Amino acid sequence: MPLFDGYGVLAGSLLRYSCDNRQDESHYYHCSLLVRARAAVYRCVVDLDSKHHRDGIQWKVVDLPQMQSQALKACEDGWHSLAMDEASGALDYYRSEWLGPSKECVRAGREASAGKYCWKYGNGHDAFRDLEPLLRCGRRIFVFGEPFRNGKGVHNIHQNQGDPPGSRWAAENGPWQDGAVMVERPDASVAAFLSKFSTQRFCVDEVCA
């Protein structure tokens, strides 16, 4: 099934960012990005909560190939709804081959170190240490995910498939709707920050949705 409130990408300029200081059973570890797109400001909530597990988050930073980066940079500022298919520009961590990783890298799991774009394991603070350098140097920012039902913003900025059957999130499992934060660097290259939770399956030899 698709995300309840749709899917798309927000293009704009990062105004500032901050992360939660408080993390307990009733508060998740979120990092908020304020993005200006034309005359509007959007709040983009990156969920990096590890549920108090030292390896509850998996993430990686991927450099986009030239074809994908050029197409993304051509996107005008603002919110753009995307159909859940490859032709629309939607993301799928496993079906978009240029996002990687290889099957061997996934199977190797936390022991993988030699493969390119392998997943890292840790908590939300660990993951943010790889996201923050992109935010600091970015010229433009592109946030893929689900729009807020009320107000201007984006959430579900992470893998949106592979949640366990019967979980509260399983109903929104689906292909071609994964979230990400992508940043254009000063040298015009584009890097993507991808993240998932340890409770979500890797989808290499199976259908996740």
Side-chain angles (χ1 to χ4, degrees), residues 49-114:
D49 192 72
S50 61
K51 307 299 186 290
H52 303 286
H53 297 297
R54 64 181 181 85
D55 59 354
I57 295 287
Q58 287 96 50
W59 73 95
K60 59 181 176 175
V61 175
V62 176
D63 291 312
L64 270 63
Q66 186 175 13
M67 183 188 316
Q68 281 76 19
S69 64
Q70 287 180 340
L72 189 64
K73 288 186 290 184
C75 186
E76 295 183 355
D77 283 2
W79 172 257
H80 305 270
S81 296
L82 300 174
M84 292 173 54
D85 57 53
E86 184 175 12
S88 72
L91 302 182
D92 190 299
Y93 286 4
Y94 307 98
R95 297 167 179 87
S96 301
E97 293 184 3
W98 50 276
L99 288 179
S102 67
K103 294 182 179 181
E104 291 74 20
C105 187
V106 169
R107 291 189 182 117
R110 69 194 63 205
E111 302 303 323
S113 59

Side-chain angles (χ1 to χ4, degrees), residues 144-208:
F144 289 79
E146 182 178 16
F148 283 1
R149 184 167 299 177
N150 298 302
K152 294 186 180 298
V154 185
H155 65 132
N156 277 333
I157 308 168
H158 48 65
Q159 178 173 305
N160 291 307
Q161 55 185 316
D163 287 293
S167 72
R168 58 182 290 192
W169 304 281
E172 289 191 294
N173 280 338
W176 297 108
Q177 59 171 17
D178 286 331
V181 176
M182 299 192 182
V183 175
E184 181 183 358
R185 300 186 179 108
D187 65 2
S189 65
V190 178
F193 176 87
L194 315 180
S195 63
K196 65 181 290 295
F197 304 106
S198 60
T199 52
Q200 294 174 312
R201 291 175 292 158
F202 289 113
C203 310
V204 175
D205 295 323
E206 58 187 305
V207 176
C208 234

